[in-house]
Amino acid sequence: MKYIIPLILMTFLVSVSSAQNKVASAAEIYSKLEKLGNLGSVLYIAAHPDDENTNLISYFNNAKNYHTTYLSLTRGDGGQNLIGPELREQLGVIRTQELLAARSVDGGFQRFSRANDFGYSKSPDETFELWNKDSVMYDIIWTIRMLKPDIIVNRFDHRTPGTTHGHHTGSAMLSFEAFEMAGDPSVFPEQLKYVDVWQPSRLFFNTSWWFYGSQEKFEQANKENLVGINVGEYYPLMGQSNNEISARSRSQHRCQGFGRIGERGSSMEYLEFIKGDRPKNPDAFDGINTTWERIPGGKAINDQWQSILENYDFKSPSASVPALLTLYQSIQQLPESSYKNQKITECQDIIESCMGLFLEIRSNDHTLVRGQNTTLDMEVINRSNIKASIDEIEILPTGTKVEINEDLENNQKILHKIQTIIPSNAGYTSPYWLNDKSTIGMYSVANKTLIGKPETPRYLRTKFHLKIMSVDFVVEKDVVYKTGLPERGEVYKPLEIVPKYTLKIDQPILFFKDESSQILNVDLSMQNGEVNADTLKLNLGNGFESKPGYYLLQPGKTRYSFEIKPLIEEGRHEISAEILGVDGQIYDQQLTTIQYDHIPEQTILTKASSTLVKLKITHEVDKIAYIQGAGDKIPEFLRAIGIQCDELIITEISNMDLNSYDAIVLGIRALNTIDEIEGIMPYLLQYTQDGGNLIVQYNTNRGLKIKDFAPYSLQLSRDRVTNENSPVRLINTNHPALNTPNQITSKDFEGWVQERGLYFPNQWAAEYKTIVSFQDPGEEFLEGGILIAPYGHGNYIYTGLSWFRELPAGVTGAYKLFINLLSLQTNN
C-alpha cells in the first residue's frame, strides 16, 4: 500500500494560514472526540460553488460525525459577482475562499477538479466539448481514491441531460461512471503510486420536490427507493440547529447573494439510491461499519477511544491528555492506511486543544521574496499542568533548525526570534491553478499532487518538536503573518512569497482610433532589495511598435512610459511586459490583491499584460451617465475610448438635471440589486421621454426589485445564447443602431468571449424593435438580445448581451455596436 503522508495530511486542512490560530473550547473538543471514533466518510459531488446542499453536509458532519467533503468540479469562474468587479479567474479565487468559509461553518472539507467554469452550458455534450472529460474523470477518481468515501451523493440527476445546466448534469454523469472506475486498478494506474483503488459502497442522488416539478407531485411519488433524513436536528453543544448552521454556511456565498435566514424544527432531505450495495433499512449507512473495528487492530483503538469519551471532563479537558497520548501512540502503531494518517492528525489537534497549547511562528512581513533574510517570531505556551517541553523547531523548507530545550510551564510564554533565508527556488504562493496557461474549459496543473487542493499550500511551514509526558510529539503548522488594525484588532493574513519585481501596465486596454501614437505606462513595484541594471521591455509581437525599445531600470523610478504606434488597420493584440534581470531571472508578473472582510486577503500573480486595440470607430456621444448595479467595469472602458462617463449616486438622481447626458446606462443586474430602483425609475423614464437614450442591461427574472421597469410590456426569461461563436442574423438592417455612426456587419460578432448574452426577454410589446438574433446549436434563433422602443422623444433599450465581458476583453465589434446604442437619435 502506498501513502505519501504530506499529501494525505494536506487533504484534511482547510485554510490554516489565513485563519486565527484558535484553540478549541471544551464543547468543541468533545465534538472532535466524537468524530475521532468515527471512520465513516461522505463525498458530495456537484459542479459549482453554491451547488452543494449545506443541510446535508452539516448533518453528516455534525449529527453523524462522518468525514464529509464537497467536491465542486469548478471554482465558479464563469458566474457573475454581486459584491465587486472581479470576474473570471479572480471571481474563481473569491468563490474558492467563500467555499472554504462555508466549510469552516458547517465543518465539512473542500476539494476541486481542474474543470474551468466557462459559463452556462445547455447540455452535457456541450460541456464535454470544452471540459476534457478524461481529465475531469481523473480528478474525480483521484479524490475518491484519496478520501475513500463510503457513500457518494450527487447533487444532480445523471438521467436528465438537457433539463438543467450542462455542468450540473455532467457532474452527475461523471460521478456515475467514476463510482466503479475508482475501484479498477487499470483505470489511471499512475495514481496508484500515491493511493490505492477504492470502491465506495453506495451512490445516491440528493433529490427533492423541485426535481419532480412541485411539492404536490413529490408527495404523490413512490418513495420506495428514497432514504429520508430529518436534518432539523438541534445540537445542544453548539446551541444551534443543523439548519441554522446550514444557513450560515450557505450565506458565505456572498458574491452570489445567497444569504439565507436560519430555520428551526424538522426538515427533510431525500437520497435516491442509484447503485452499489442497496441499504436494507432507511439509512444511507445501513450495514456499513464506521467504527475503528473496520480496520485491522481497530478493536483495541475503539475501546481506548470509548473510555476517553466517557471520562471526558468539560471543566478540565487536560485530564484526558494522558489517555489521549496512549491512544495517539496506539494509532501510530497501526498498519499504514489513509484512516491512520487522518486520525493521527485529528488526535494531535485534540491533544493540543486539551492542553490549550498555542504554537505559532509568525513573520513580520506580509510578503517575502527569494533570497531574503528574514526574522521570524516564535510564541509557544502551554495552558495546562501537563508536563511538556519544546526541544527544537525547524523552518521548512529552508533547512533552518533552532534548538530550544525549554520546559513548557503552565501559562508561561516562551518567545524566540529565528533568522532564516528564503531559498532562491522558493515557489510563489499564487493560486496554483492559475500558474500555467489554461484553456476555455480546463485549468492546467503541472504538479499532479496539487490537483484537488482548495489552495496553494503555504511555502513556509514550522515543525515543532515537543515532548508531552515524555512522548515525542511533532506538529507542523504554517508560518503566519498577523497585524493589528484599529477597526478590527488582530487580523491574520496569508504569508506570501512573491517576485522581487512585479509589473502593472496601467491601461488594461489601449485604444487607437487612427495611426497616431499613444503612451503606454508600465508601473514597477519592488518588493525587496535594490534595483540592479535590469532591463524592462515590452513583448509587442506584430502589429505595433514602441519607442524606446527598452529601459534600463533606475533606482527610485517606478513608472516607465512607452510610445506605441499601431501598424495594423484594425484588430486587437495581447501584449506583455517583462524585466530581464542581470542574474538571468525574468520577472513578468502582475500582483493583484483581493480584499473583502468575509474571506482572507488573496494575492494573485498573473502575466503583466494589456490589450492593444486598433479600432475603426466613430462616436457622436460626449457625455453619458452610468448607474452601477452588481458592479462591472464598463465605465472604465468607455472612458478609454474618449467618452465622459459619470457614475451617478442613486440618492442624488431625483435632484439632478439628467437631460445633460446623451445616454444613461444601468449596469448589470441593477433591477435586482438597487433597493431604491423603484423610486428612481420614474425619473429615468421621464429622461427618456424628454429625448434621452436609456440602456438597461441584463437582469435575472427572479429577485426583481421593481415590476414596472419598462415603458411597454416586456417579460424577462432565462433564455440565453452560450456559444460565443454562435450564428448571428442582422434584423431590420436599416435600423440606425446597425448603421449610425458605425456600420455593423456579421464580422463584428467575431471574437466574442464566453457567451453572446443571458436572460433575454422572451415576450415583448409591438413597440419594441429587434435588430439582431443568435442561435445556439440545435435551437431556434433568439431575437431578444437587443430590444429598442421609441418612447416620447427618446429611446428605451433593453439588452441582455454580455457587454460586461466583451468590452473589457476589447472586442471591437461590441464597442461599435454599444456606441451605436448610446448614439441613437432623439425622436422629434
Side-chain angles (χ1 to χ4, degrees):
M1 302 177 75
K2 302 93 180 168
Y3 296 93
I4 292 184
I5 290 177
L7 174 66
I8 300 297
L9 293 183
M10 282 301 296
T11 303
F12 308 108
L13 296 176
V14 178
S15 182
V16 176
S17 66
S18 58
Q20 184 178 4
N21 192 348
K22 180 179 176 293
V23 175
S25 68
E28 290 169 335
I29 293 172
Y30 187 79
S31 293
K32 291 182 178 185
L33 275 172
E34 289 184 309
K35 291 180 176 64
L36 184 62
N38 195 312
L39 275 64
S41 178
V42 179
L43 179 61
Y44 196 95
I45 298 179
H48 310 106
D50 81 17
D51 285 344
E52 82 275 26
N53 185 336
T54 55
N55 284 338
L56 272 179
I57 290 175
S58 178
Y59 175 82
F60 281 135
N61 176 68
N62 296 304
K64 307 301 288 185
N65 295 312
Y66 302 138
H67 188 281
T68 307
T69 302
Y70 175 43
L71 171 59
S72 176
L73 296 191
T74 76
R75 297 175 185 267
D77 324 69
Q80 287 81 53
N81 183 359
L82 292 182
I83 61 173
E86 296 88 359
L87 292 174
R88 289 302 312 155
E89 291 84 1
Q90 291 184 21
L91 178 59
V93 171
I94 293 173
R95 291 190 172 184
T96 294
Q97 291 300 317
E98 289 183 338
L99 271 178
L100 289 173
R103 299 293 80 78
S104 72
V105 172
D106 59 40
F109 298 86
Q110 187 61 51
R111 301 286 293 182
F112 295 93
S113 85
R114 289 169 290 172
N116 192 344
D117 179 6
F118 56 82
Y120 191 84
S121 170
K122 293 183 177 178
S123 72
D125 288 342
E126 180 185 344
T127 296
F128 295 144
E129 287 178 5
L130 294 176
W131 286 358
N132 183 317
K133 184 177 178 181
D134 285 345
S135 294
V136 181
M137 184 66 79
Y138 178 102
D139 298 352
I140 295 173
I141 291 173
W142 170 250
T143 301
I144 293 172
R145 288 171 172 174
M146 181 178 291
L147 300 183
K148 296 183 168 34
D150 296 300
I151 70 169
I152 295 176
V153 180
N154 289 343
R155 184 54 173 142
F156 300 103
D157 191 346
H158 69 284
R159 299 160 295 192
T160 56
T163 61
T164 183
H165 197 323
H167 296 181
H168 291 170
T169 312
S171 70
M173 293 170 69
L174 291 169
S175 175
F176 183 84
E177 293 181 42
F179 182 79
E180 280 100 4
M181 293 171 68
D184 184 346
S186 69
V187 175
F188 304 124
E190 63 273 26
Q191 294 182 359
L192 303 184
K193 293 184 295 183
Y194 306 105
V195 293
D196 283 322
V197 295
W198 179 255
Q199 179 56 61
S201 295
R202 292 167 193 146
L203 176 68
F204 293 97
F205 159 46
N206 181 198
T207 190
S208 70
W209 67 263
W210 46 276
F211 286 102
Y212 288 74
S214 70
Q215 186 73 49
E216 182 180 4
K217 290 180 180 178
F218 179 65
E219 289 174 359
Q220 296 171 353
N222 185 332
K223 299 184 178 60
E224 290 181 1
N225 205 35
L226 303 187
V227 173
I229 301 173
N230 187 344
V231 296
E233 192 156 331
Y234 175 69
Y235 306 125
L237 285 177
M238 300 182 181
Q240 298 177 83
S241 70
N242 187 73
N243 285 343
E244 287 173 309
I245 295 171
S246 166
R248 287 199 298 116
S249 173
R250 183 74 170 171
S251 298
Q252 303 308 307
H253 295 296
R254 297 188 190 178
C255 72
Q256 300 182 75
F258 284 153
R260 200 176 87 191
I261 297 174
E263 297 178 0
R264 286 146 292 280
S266 296
S267 177
M268 295 299 295
E269 291 286 346
Y270 293 90
L271 301 180
E272 179 184 354
F273 174 75
I274 300 298
K275 67 162 111 174
D277 174 22
R278 182 184 294 272
K280 296 181 176 62
N281 297 301
D283 178 359
F285 273 77
D286 178 53
I288 300 174
N289 186 352
T290 62
T291 72
W292 277 101
E293 295 185 34
R294 74 186 296 171
I295 63 173
K299 171 85 169 57
I301 301 291
N302 197 71
D303 292 344
Q304 291 180 58
W305 164 78
Q306 191 69 49
S307 176
I308 292 170
L309 191 68
E310 291 172 356
N311 292 290
Y312 178 72
D313 185 348
F314 281 85
K315 291 186 177 181
S316 181
S318 62
S320 296
V321 170
L324 280 166
L325 286 169
T326 301
L327 177 64
Y328 175 68
Q329 291 175 302
S330 297
I331 296 173
Q332 288 178 317
Q333 293 169 9
L334 288 172
E336 291 300 323
S337 73
S338 62
Y339 298 115
K340 173 181 176 178
N341 296 318
Q342 175 189 341
K343 293 304 179 179
I344 285 174
T345 302
E346 291 181 21
C347 198
Q348 284 180 328
D349 178 55
I350 293 170
I351 291 170
E352 288 179 55
S353 295
C354 285
M355 294 176 62
L357 197 60
F358 183 89
L359 306 170
E360 186 170 271
I361 301 287
R362 56 183 174 267
S363 168
N364 295 311
D365 299 300
H366 180 206
T367 59
L368 299 170
V369 303
R370 293 170 175 173
Q372 181 176 346
N373 286 281
T374 188
T375 301
L376 306 176
D377 291 321
M378 183 194 86
E379 179 180 349
V380 175
I381 186 168
N382 169 23
R383 289 168 287 190
S384 76
N385 287 317
I386 299 296
K387 184 178 179 180
S389 63
I390 179 166
D391 299 335
E392 181 184 73
I393 61 167
E394 296 179 66
I395 307 299
L396 306 174
T398 67
T400 299
K401 294 184 180 181
V402 178
E403 290 190 8
I404 307 295
N405 296 322
E406 292 193 44
D407 291 334
L408 298 177
E409 304 291 346
N410 186 0
N411 216 27
Q412 299 301 306
K413 189 160 46 179
I414 295 179
L415 304 175
H416 276 275
K417 290 193 177 294
I418 300 144
Q419 298 291 326
T420 194
I421 300 175
I422 306 303
S424 60
N425 62 348
Y428 300 136
T429 47
S430 183
Y432 69 86
W433 62 94
L434 301 180
N435 288 342
D436 299 312
K437 187 174 179 60
S438 63
T439 65
I440 293 175
M442 293 296 297
Y443 284 116
S444 176
V445 179
N447 183 349
K448 293 296 189 286
T449 63
L450 291 175
I451 291 173
K453 294 184 187 298
E455 301 180 282
T456 303
R458 295 293 134 189
Y459 182 77
L460 282 185
R461 290 181 61 77
T462 304
K463 185 179 285 188
F464 295 87
H465 293 266
L466 309 169
K467 274 193 175 60
I468 300 176
M469 298 183 65
S470 302
V471 175
D472 289 331
F473 196 80
V474 180
V475 180
E476 282 194 32
K477 291 185 181 291
D478 292 340
V479 177
V480 300
Y481 169 78
K482 70 180 178 183
T483 187
L485 300 178
E487 70 278 14
R488 293 177 60 189
E490 184 179 78
V491 174
Y492 280 78
K493 294 182 180 181
L495 175 61
E496 310 285 9
I497 308 296
V498 299
K500 172 184 175 181
Y501 296 118
T502 56
L503 301 167
K504 181 181 180 182
I505 302 177
D506 76 337
Q507 302 100 319
I509 295 183
L510 187 60
F511 291 93
F512 299 82
K513 292 185 285 185
D514 53 34
E515 282 63 47
S516 302
S517 299
Q518 293 212 54
I519 299 300
L520 185 77
N521 297 312
V522 179
D523 293 328
L524 168 68
S525 294
M526 184 96 174
Q527 310 303 324
N528 183 269
E530 298 179 353
V531 170
N532 299 318
D534 302 323
T535 303
L536 169 65
K537 70 182 187 72
L538 297 176
N539 297 312
L540 292 174
N542 298 324
F544 295 87
E545 64 180 11
S546 73
K547 292 182 181 179
Y550 65 91
Y551 281 98
L552 291 178
L553 300 186
Q554 301 175 29
K557 185 172 181 177
T558 59
R559 169 162 287 194
Y560 295 83
S561 298
F562 294 86
E563 183 181 349
I564 310 296
K565 182 178 178 61
L567 304 177
I568 56 175
E569 187 171 323
E570 188 172 39
R572 57 177 172 161
H573 282 228
E574 298 293 325
I575 63 119
S576 63
E578 68 177 28
I579 293 174
L580 178 60
V582 293
D583 57 0
Q585 295 291 316
I586 294 177
Y587 303 93
D588 60 355
Q589 293 180 295
Q590 173 177 321
L591 189 150
T592 301
T593 300
I594 297 177
Q595 292 180 305
Y596 290 102
D597 287 344
H598 68 298
I599 60 174
E601 181 177 304
Q602 298 297 299
T603 297
I604 305 174
L605 294 170
T606 53
K607 198 87 165 176
S609 63
S610 179
T611 302
L612 304 183
V613 180
K614 180 61 167 38
L615 184 62
K616 295 175 65 175
I617 191 170
T618 302
H619 72 78
E620 301 172 357
V621 179
D622 294 321
K623 184 172 71 168
I624 72 164
Y626 204 90
I627 301 171
Q628 283 286 5
D632 58 64
K633 295 184 177 182
I634 289 177
E636 173 184 341
F637 293 98
L638 293 179
R639 294 183 192 113
I641 60 172
I643 296 175
Q644 180 180 333
C645 184
D646 297 340
E647 296 186 60
L648 302 187
I649 298 173
I650 298 297
T651 55
E652 297 179 358
I653 288 176
S654 60
N655 297 317
M656 294 181 64
D657 178 14
L658 300 177
N659 293 323
S660 63
Y661 293 107
D662 297 314
I664 297 177
V665 182
L666 266 68
I668 60 173
R669 298 192 67 179
L671 308 182
N672 299 125
T673 59
I674 299 176
D675 292 332
E676 303 88 350
I677 191 65
E678 194 160 17
I680 67 169
M681 186 55 74
Y683 296 97
L684 300 179
L685 292 176
Q686 184 62 54
Y687 157 82
T688 309
Q689 276 192 312
D690 292 344
N693 291 318
L694 177 63
I695 299 178
V696 181
Q697 295 183 81
Y698 96 91
N699 295 272
T700 62
N701 57 356
R702 290 182 295 181
L704 288 170
K705 294 182 180 292
I706 181 174
K707 181 180 179 182
D708 298 319
F709 57 85
Y712 312 111
S713 173
L714 185 154
Q715 181 173 306
L716 304 184
S717 75
R718 297 185 66 81
D719 290 350
R720 60 206 301 164
V721 180
T722 62
N723 186 342
E724 64 270 24
N725 299 311
S726 69
V728 58
R729 287 178 180 170
L730 301 182
I731 309 169
N732 294 321
T733 54
N734 292 325
H735 195 284
L738 295 176
N739 294 278
T740 306
N742 302 288
Q743 183 73 39
I744 302 298
T745 70
S746 58
K747 187 174 178 60
D748 290 304
F749 294 92
E750 296 175 1
W752 284 49
V753 299
Q754 185 160 325
E755 62 201 354
R756 294 296 192 186
L758 59 171
Y759 300 107
F760 289 179
N762 62 355
Q763 295 182 34
W764 52 85
E767 285 84 355
Y768 294 99
K769 303 298 180 185
T770 63
I771 61 171
V772 65
S773 66
F774 305 97
Q775 179 193 43
D776 266 338
E779 298 187 2
E780 299 294 324
F781 274 87
L782 297 181
E783 297 185 355
I786 300 176
L787 300 176
I788 303 171
Y791 182 57
H793 297 294
N795 298 284
Y796 179 93
I797 303 146
Y798 190 94
T799 174
L801 298 193
S802 57
W803 309 104
F804 70 105
R805 299 193 194 280
E806 312 312 322
L807 300 191
V811 178
T812 57
Y815 274 93
K816 292 161 72 173
L817 182 53
F818 199 79
I819 291 298
N820 284 10
L821 297 179
L822 295 173
S823 305
L824 284 175
Q825 297 299 306
T826 57
N827 304 291
N828 295 314

